[in-house]
Structure formats: C-alpha cells, structure tokens
C-alpha cells in the first residue's frame, strides 16, 4: 500500500512533464532551423557596417519606421471599426465584405502593387497620381496590412459578453462611454496583437511597395528596397547589416507591444 | 409603482410576451416565476428598457417610460451571469455608476465603502472579478446596481448560476436587504421555492402570459389553474383531480372512503419521507409523511395500505 501510494501520485506528474519536454524540444528545434539559424547566419554575414550609417540608409530606416507606425495606428482604428461592423451590424452583402477583408492576404503582393499603380498611378482613371510619392507607399502598406487588426479583433468582439454593455447602460453610461470604458478595454489586447502584426508586416513589405514607390533615395526608398539595392550592387555584407538593424528594431517593437499586451490583460491572472 | 400594460414582444416568429399587464407596488418584492421560455426575463428587460416592446406601455411611478432609454429609467439590473466588468477591480465595478456621473471622489469613496460593507466584500476591493467566487461576483453585481440609488431593483435569475447552498444563503440575505432598504424589487426565477421564499407577491408566467399573480400562500392554497397548481409545488394528478402529496392520508385499515394501494418505495429526505404508491386501479401517486408517521405505521416496501385525500382540487374548465 505504502509503495503504491508513493508511485501512483507520481505517475500523472511524470506524464505531465514528459509531454511539455517533448513539445518544447520540437518547438525549439523547429524555430531554430526556420528562424534563429538563418538570422544568426545573417548577423555573421553582416560586415561593412559603414553601409548602414550612410545618409541614404538612415533615411530609408527612418522612413520605414515612420510609415509602419502610421500604418499600425490607422489599422488600429480602421480595423477595429471594420471588425465592429462585421460583428455587430447586419447588412446585405456582409459575407462578401467579410471575404473581401482577406483578399490582401490572398493576392501576391506584387499584384497588389500593380493594382494600386493602375488606380493611383500616372494613368489613374480617378485622377489621383500617388505613384513615386510617400502617399503611394502608405496606400500600398495599408492595403497589405488591412486584415491583421480586423481578424484579431473580430473573434474577441464576437465572444464579448453583451450583458456588460447592458449593465453599463442600466448604470447610466452613454453608448460612447460604454465603448470607451467597457468595450475598448476588453478588445484592446486583440487590437494590440493586430497592430503588432501589421507593424511587422509594414516594416518588411517589399512586393507591394517596389512598384508604386519608385524607390527614390531619401524620398520613397524603404529599408527592404534599400537592402535589395545593396544586394544588386554586390554589397551583400551591407545588405545583411541593414537587415540586422531593421530586424532588431522590429523585434524590439514586438517585445514592447507584447509587454503592453500583458499589462492590459493583468486582470486575467 | 411599476405598471406594464398590454406588453407584446416578438422575436421573429416567436412571441415572447403576448399582451402582459402587471403591477409592482412601490416597496414590494415581487417574483416573476415561470419555466424557461415563459417570457419572464423578457418582461424584466422591457421594464429595464433593455428591450423595446412591440406593443404596450411601461410606466414607472406614474410616468410613461416606454420610450425612455435604460440610462434614464433609474433602474438597477442584476444579471444571471453577473456581467462583471472583467477589466475592473471590485471597487471600480461598484463605483462605475458614480464615476461616470462624475460625483466628487469623497462621495464615491464613502458610498462604495458603505456598499462593500453591505455585501461583505470589503477585503476584496482590489481583486478582479476573475479572482472571485460566483457568490462573491453576484454580491458585487448587487452592490454595483445599488450604487446609483435605483428607484427599482431588477434581478434576472440572480442566483441561477450558483450552487444550492450559496443560493439559499443569498436568498435569505436578499430578503433581509429588502426589509432594510424597501427598494421596489422584481426578481425573475424558475425556482418556485425561491419565489415563495423571498417574495411578497408571485407572478406566475407561462408561454408569454400571466397565469396568476398573488401572495405565495394564496398561490399555493388557491391556484387559479392546473398550470399554477403543478408549478408551485409537487402534485398528484388522478384524472381531473389534483392532490398535494401532503394531503394524502395513509391508513392501515379500509374505512369506506379509502382506496387500496401498495407501497412501492420509501424515500427518506431527513425529516420528511416520500412514499411512492400504486393504487389498485394502477394509478401512481406519492404521499408526503413525517418520519414519525412512517414509524408509527411501520411502513415497508410492498406493504398494502389504504389511501384517502384529505384535500383535493378540481378545475372546472
């Protein structure tokens, strides 16, 4: 009996620790092979750090980060509004609109660039020429990052306890106050997740911007295109160095948003 | 006084309320009792302004409130699943109604402290709802609703998600609270015992209509129809006749007005014993006896006894 009592309770514990051990092993192996090792190789290849302190490189870096920040913020508002409409309103063609949101994901980004150039390029049928301007860049980035916030917020909004809003209303809160103090705090973690994804995507986008931006140094050249230019002129070390810098900044931003997200969900623990 | 007149509410093809009129006197504690789908929660939400009736009028203290939004009705609402603001502490939940009214912080502090004492959550003010038990969450919900001094307190199955013991505790506590504050209160429940226990008046609802509205005792002694009879307590139905189990008398010898029956099963429920019987004509019925009565009769399973109703009800329709 005593021996059994010793062994039996231990068994479930042992089983519990085995599975995570295995899954941690598989996860870290996979992440190493797919993400970490290539990144390390990139860092190892990066030399000629001079390439990133040139005015052209810093201009591209600055432009990329500024644009990505604006894109993330616009998405936070527009994406939340679209998600709200899709969850809370009923209208004809809702299913169609819902499917439309995913289109930027389904389209090859170079095709997205072509589409935008056709509409907002030099031969624009609507008379708006945004080609080779920062507005064009912004449009392209907004296009490809649209789904992120919509798709992270939508399910959370769907699951949101509507009675919280009823309770707020019965306590005298206006619809605006209810949104600000009840709904927004509840969906904020999801908004932040979407914002982080949109930001990361905007930083790294190449295909959608390469056509519409015209890649004018100091004006419309983003980091991804700058890196491509370095490679084309045979400076692979400089290209890698610029990549490492933008990578570190992106990672820093993702970590910061993650920390913010943990802070706003502190009540769940 | 809350007065609802001819309330009709449809959801698509489903008629939730089919011309309901009800009065809730000021200072009373009224229960809306009925099975699920009877429309009791919908009626409560119509009174609160959370649903708009398709027809009919609601007036609060003589003023027409039919088109008033919930914000300006001065009602406190307590939800079955608490509807706690999950991202706010207990303190902030209770203070919400006062904070959005921009009351002075001294007043808020005093009122919230008072309410937390009333609902016995003083030590838990800094906790989040996720860190509370169901009973604590519902007490928080009550404090939150009471914070804005509502003219009317509406509770929608407030104890429905809690276990039996906590439910009974909170029931007694709610009754005591009402006796202190005399806030006009309407509680929705599907539990007849709960309704009879807390309420001065019980409104029995079924299929979107009101079957009967009366004090608990009257409801039990003089049910208006079969539905009320069988909803407010256990009942034996023998043909057109309804007999409460405690109105079934058991004798060991026949006496002319009795019928022969066999004891199928004795169910001991502490002080009382439920005796399940089958009559010689094949009808089954149950009798409710005290333990002393069962011991005096020396009842056993399989035994033949003679039964006689001491009181029975027949509805004429």
């Amino acid at each position: 009996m005593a021996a059994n009592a010793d062994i039996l309770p231990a068994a479930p514990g042992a089983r519990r620790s085995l599975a995570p051990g295995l899954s941690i092993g598989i996860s870290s192996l996979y992440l190493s092979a797919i993400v970490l090792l290539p990144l390390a190789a990139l860092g190892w290849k990066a030399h000629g750090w001079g390439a990133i302190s040139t005015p052209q490189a810093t201009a591209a870096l600055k432009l990329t980060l500024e644009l990505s920040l604006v894109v993330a913020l616009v998405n936070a508002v527009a994406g939340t509004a679209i998600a709200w409409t899709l969850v809370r309103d009923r209208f004809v063609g809702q299913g169609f609109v819902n499917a439309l949101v995913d289109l930027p994901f389904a389209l090859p980004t170079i095709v997205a660039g072509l589409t935008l150039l056709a509409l907002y390029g030099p031969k624009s049928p609507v008379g708006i020429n945004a080609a080779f301007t920062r507005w064009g860049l912004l449009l392209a980035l907004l296009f490809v990052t649209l789904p992120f916030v919509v798709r992270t917020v939508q399910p959370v909004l769907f699951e949101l306890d509507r009675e919280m809003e009823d309770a707020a209303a019965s306590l005298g809160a206006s619809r605006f106050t209810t949104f600000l103090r009840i709904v927004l705090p509840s969906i904020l973690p999801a908004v932040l997740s979407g914002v982080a994804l949109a930001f990361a995507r905007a930083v790294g986008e190449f295909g959608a911007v390469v056509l519409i931006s015209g890649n004018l140094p100091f004006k419309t050249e983003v980091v991804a295109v700058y890196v491509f230019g370095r490679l084309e002129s045979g400076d692979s070390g400089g290209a890698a160095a610029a990549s490492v810098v933008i990578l570190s900044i992106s990672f820093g931003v993702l970590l910061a948003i993650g920390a913010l997200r943990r802070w706003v969900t502190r009540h769940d623990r | 006084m809350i007065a609802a007149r001819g309330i009709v509410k449809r959801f698509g093809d489903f008629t939730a309320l089919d011309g309901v009129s009800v009065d809730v006197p000021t200072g009373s504690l009224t229960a809306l009792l009925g099975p699920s789908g009877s429309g009791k929660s919908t009626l409560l939400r119509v009174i609160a302004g959370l649903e708009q009736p398709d027809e009919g009028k609601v007036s609060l203290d003589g003023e027409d409130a039919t088109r008033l939004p919930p914000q300006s009705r001065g009602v406190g609402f307590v939800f079955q699943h608490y509807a706690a603001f999950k991202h706010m502490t207990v303190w902030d939940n209770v203070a919400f109604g006062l904070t959005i009214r921009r009351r002075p912080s001294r007043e808020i502090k005093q009122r919230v402290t008072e309410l937390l004492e009333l609902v016995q959550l003083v030590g838990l003010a800094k906790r989040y709802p996720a860190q509370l038990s169901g009973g604590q969450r519902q007490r928080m919900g009550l404090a939150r609703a009471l914070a804005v001094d509502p003219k009317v307190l509406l509770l929608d199955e407030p104890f429905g998600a809690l276990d039996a013991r906590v439910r009974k505790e909170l029931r007694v506590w709610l009754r005591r609270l009402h006796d202190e504050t005399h806030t006009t209160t309407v509680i929705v429940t599907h539990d007849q015992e709960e309704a009879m226990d807390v309420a001065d008046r019980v409104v029995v609802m079924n299929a979107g209509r009101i079957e009967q509205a009366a004090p608990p005792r009257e409801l039990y002694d003089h049910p208006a129809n079969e539905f009320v009879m069988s909803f407010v307590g256990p009942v034996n139905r023998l043909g057109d006749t309804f007999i409460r189990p405690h109105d079934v008398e058991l004798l060991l010898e026949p006496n002319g007005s009795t019928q022969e029956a066999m004891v199928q099963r004795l169910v001991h429920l502490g002080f009382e014993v439920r005796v399940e019987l089958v009559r010689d004509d094949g009808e089954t019925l149950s009798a409710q006896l005290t333990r002393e009565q069962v011991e005096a009769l020396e009842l056993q399973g399989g035994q033949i006894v003679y039964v006689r109703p001491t009181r029975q009800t027949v509805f004429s329709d």
Side-chain angles (χ1 to χ4, degrees):
Chain A
M1 266 318 277
N4 270 351
D6 282 345
I7 292 161
L8 284 178
R15 220 177 299 134
R16 260 199 304 276
S17 66
L18 177 71
L22 194 61
S23 63
I24 286 171
I26 292 173
S27 311
S28 48
L29 191 70
Y30 185 82
L31 279 175
S32 302
I34 301 292
V35 182
L36 282 178
L37 284 177
L39 290 185
L42 185 72
W44 179 70
K45 271 204 75 165
H47 49 80
W49 292 93
I52 53 167
S53 51
T54 64
Q56 191 186 344
T58 42
L61 257 173
K62 192 160 163 278
L63 176 64
T64 305
L65 292 175
E66 282 170 359
L67 270 174
S68 303
L69 205 67
V70 172
V71 163
L73 290 177
V74 172
N75 264 304
V77 178
T80 304
I82 294 173
W84 180 273
T85 309
L86 286 173
V87 173
R88 290 296 173 89
D89 296 334
R90 288 287 157 266
F91 54 90
V92 181
Q94 194 163 22
F96 178 74
V97 174
N98 194 27
L100 206 64
V101 170
D102 282 331
L103 213 58
F105 276 165
L107 227 54
T109 52
I110 190 85
V111 177
L114 265 174
T115 326
L116 287 170
L117 200 60
L119 186 61
Y120 300 122
K123 290 173 192 157
S124 166
V126 292
I128 300 168
N129 185 0
F132 316 140
T133 67
R134 292 185 172 182
W135 291 109
L137 267 175
L138 186 65
L139 269 176
L141 292 177
L142 286 176
F143 181 87
V144 294
T145 55
L146 168 74
F148 289 109
V149 173
V150 180
R151 290 299 183 233
T152 49
V153 172
Q154 210 177 355
V156 177
L157 210 48
F158 191 77
E159 293 290 325
L160 194 67
D161 181 7
R162 295 288 288 267
E163 288 194 335
M164 284 204 296
E165 291 161 63
D166 285 345
S170 74
L171 289 167
S174 66
R175 289 185 62 120
F176 179 71
T177 305
T178 303
F179 180 80
L180 212 63
R181 307 197 54 152
I182 306 299
V183 177
L184 197 59
S186 307
I187 62 172
L188 197 58
V191 174
L192 285 174
S193 292
V195 161
L197 290 169
F199 176 85
R201 177 63 188 270
V203 165
E205 185 54 39
F206 178 79
V209 299
V210 73
L211 289 178
I212 203 162
S213 78
N215 313 319
L216 309 169
F218 301 105
K219 195 169 167 239
T220 59
E221 190 177 52
V222 294
V223 163
V225 178
Y226 173 77
V227 167
F228 187 66
R230 287 284 90 205
L231 280 174
E232 281 207 311
S233 45
D235 180 14
S236 65
S243 306
V244 169
V245 171
I246 196 68
L247 200 82
S248 316
I249 294 173
S250 289
F251 195 52
V253 171
L254 288 180
L255 283 179
I257 294 177
L260 189 61
R261 196 176 182 283
R262 271 195 302 285
W263 185 74
V264 299
T265 54
R266 64 200 178 283
H267 51 82
D268 286 343
R269 292 182 301 274
Chain B
M1 184 168 93
I2 309 170
R5 288 287 169 273
I7 304 290
V8 174
K9 178 70 189 175
R10 297 182 198 91
F11 296 103
D13 292 341
F14 178 69
T15 304
L17 294 173
D18 191 7
V20 168
S21 297
V22 70
D23 285 336
V24 177
T26 303
S28 78
L29 203 172
T30 298
L32 299 180
L33 173 68
S36 52
S38 59
K40 55 195 190 304
S41 287
T42 308
L43 180 58
L44 198 74
R45 291 176 63 85
V46 166
I47 294 171
L50 297 171
E51 301 286 355
Q52 274 293 314
D54 297 319
E55 288 169 38
K57 283 176 82 169
V58 176
S59 66
L60 300 171
D61 292 338
E63 278 176 58
D64 184 9
T66 316
R67 300 289 151 203
L68 275 187
Q71 286 88 346
S72 26
R73 291 201 185 193
V75 299
F77 205 99
V78 175
F79 297 81
Q80 177 176 5
H81 299 289
Y82 325 122
F85 302 144
K86 298 183 187 72
H87 56 287
M88 294 184 194
T89 59
V90 170
W91 179 279
D92 290 338
N93 263 275
V94 175
F96 185 82
L98 301 168
T99 319
I100 59 167
R101 281 175 175 73
R102 305 189 187 284
R103 293 283 174 79
S105 60
R106 270 250 310 281
E107 185 195 324
I108 296 181
K109 197 174 169 195
Q110 191 192 338
R111 182 81 180 121
V112 175
T113 309
E114 223 173 81
L115 283 161
L116 289 179
E117 271 166 21
L118 184 73
V119 299
Q120 299 148 22
L121 288 176
V122 176
L124 305 177
K126 292 205 170 81
R127 296 259 187 108
Y128 287 99
Q131 299 161 326
L132 301 182
S133 71
Q136 290 168 338
R137 265 183 243 184
Q138 200 53 297
R139 294 209 302 267
M140 180 188 87
L142 254 158
R144 184 176 69 180
L146 288 171
V148 294
D149 286 319
K151 283 184 283 183
V152 173
L153 184 62
L154 306 173
L155 306 106
D156 189 3
E157 302 250 9
F159 314 133
L162 304 170
D163 65 55
R165 195 178 53 81
V166 179
R167 197 153 68 209
K168 279 196 178 158
E169 275 172 26
L170 282 185
R171 199 196 282 171
V172 173
W173 179 84
L174 175 72
R175 182 67 227 190
R176 213 178 301 138
L177 182 81
H178 180 262
D179 290 341
E180 282 168 27
T181 61
H182 299 288
T183 309
T184 311
T185 304
V186 183
I187 178 172
V188 159
T189 177
H190 61 262
D191 179 346
Q192 52 85 20
E193 192 190 315
E194 186 169 286
M196 310 275 249
D197 188 342
V198 301
D200 314 319
R201 240 169 114 259
V202 179
V203 177
V204 182
M205 294 187 67
N206 181 34
R209 294 178 161 278
I210 289 176
E211 299 282 355
Q212 190 175 5
R217 172 106 194 240
E218 192 186 323
L219 203 69
Y220 194 82
D221 291 344
H222 306 287
N225 53 39
E226 291 179 30
F227 180 83
V228 176
M229 173 106 204
S230 44
F231 201 78
V232 298
V235 72
N236 294 302
R237 184 184 181 154
L238 301 164
D240 291 337
T241 313
F242 293 82
I243 306 159
R244 297 265 184 229
H246 53 72
D247 293 331
V248 176
E249 192 183 11
L250 266 62
L251 303 168
L252 294 176
E253 301 294 334
N255 78 349
S257 62
T258 56
Q259 246 186 308
E260 193 181 303
M262 191 181 79
V263 177
Q264 276 194 311
R265 202 161 92 92
L266 293 167
V267 184
H268 294 268
L269 303 163
F271 171 70
E272 57 180 62
V273 180
R274 193 173 77 231
V275 186
E276 290 177 2
L277 302 149
V278 55
R279 262 184 356 192
D280 55 359
D281 58 4
E283 295 268 21
T284 57
L285 71 161
S286 67
Q288 193 182 351
L289 274 66
T290 64
R291 204 160 62 184
E292 282 72 24
Q293 287 172 313
V294 171
E295 276 163 12
L297 293 166
E298 293 175 0
L299 285 184
Q300 306 268 315
Q303 188 179 348
I304 299 296
V305 292
Y306 300 88
V307 297
R308 175 176 89 99
T310 54
R311 186 193 154 106
Q312 55 187 349
T313 311
V314 180
F315 296 102
S316 49
D317 55 37

